[in-house]
Amino acid sequence: MTPTLNLTINGVPQQIALDDPRATLLDVLRERIGLTGTKKGCDRGQCGACTVLIDGRRMNSCLALALSHDGAEITTIEGLARGETLHPVQAAFIAHDGFQCGYCTPGQIMSAVGLIAEGEAGLDPERVREGMSGNLCRCAAYAGITEAVLEATREIAAGTGERETA
Ligand code: FES
Ligand code: FES
């Protein structure tokens, strides 16, 4: 029997018939739902390009068995902006030139949104760098990314906070 997966993706409930019960969440998002903003880099948990939020926590979707997250709320890079209004993390990445290649930037941004929501790094650059260390960037935009995360942290703290995870 073909298992059915129920996910709420960027606020929209979806029912997905899974031909392959071993499908990863990354493949379901890209190939079944058509949300190709989440990238497949290494496909083995080493680069962070596939980072999404699962129930508000950041996770490498290439390592996540889709069926084991039945009923979960998923946020992808496509779910961050509100119409023309960018999420504070997206805006900060642009302002600080952290918005680089299209391949790893979505994962970097999703990881930053998750890190800020965790509240562990605060405004400490070292802890931001450590918290983002699972996301690789070959073009060395790390300095801009760290600045962007710090600025977004300040902005979210000063605002209502309602945009922290979605
Ligand atoms: S594609 Fe998932 S960590 Fe690299
Ligand atoms: S953002 Fe993609 S290599 Fe740096």
Side-chain angles (χ1 to χ4, degrees):
M1 195 177 88
T2 305
T4 301
L5 177 64
N6 290 284
L7 294 174
T8 299
I9 303 174
N10 298 331
V12 180
Q14 310 248 14
Q15 270 203 339
I16 306 137
L18 272 193
D19 300 333
D20 183 357
R22 297 165 303 174
T24 65
L25 180 61
L26 175 61
D27 286 340
V28 167
L29 290 170
R30 287 181 57 85
E31 291 166 21
R32 297 298 305 277
I33 311 295
L35 292 173
T36 54
T38 305
K39 301 299 189 235
K40 183 182 282 192
C42 63
D43 206 19
R44 52 175 63 184
Q46 293 174 348
C47 72
C50 64
T51 306
V52 299
L53 302 183
I54 303 179
D55 293 327
R57 306 284 299 179
R58 56 199 171 131
M59 194 172 283
N60 289 336
S61 59
C62 70
L63 295 184
L65 190 65
L67 265 184
S68 68
H69 296 285
D70 191 30
E73 291 207 19
I74 312 295
T75 305
T76 71
I77 189 75
E78 291 92 343
L80 289 188
R82 293 285 172 268
E84 297 296 306
T85 306
L86 293 179
H87 185 283
V89 172
Q90 291 173 304
F93 265 65
I94 293 174
H96 291 278
D97 226 5
F99 212 122
Q100 304 273 330
C101 89
Y103 219 78
C104 43
T105 300
Q108 299 270 7
I109 289 175
M110 295 312 296
S111 191
V113 172
L115 177 66
I116 292 168
E118 288 161 24
E120 300 291 332
L123 294 173
D124 181 339
E126 265 313 307
R127 290 171 68 183
V128 168
R129 280 193 275 277
E130 188 182 324
M132 294 293 292
S133 62
N135 293 79
L136 302 184
C137 167
R138 290 177 185 81
C139 66
Y142 294 119
I145 290 169
T146 302
E147 282 307 311
V149 174
L150 293 170
E151 179 178 309
T153 302
R154 283 190 289 268
E155 286 200 0
I156 288 170
T160 62
E162 65 184 10
R163 305 287 301 281
E164 285 183 21
T165 57

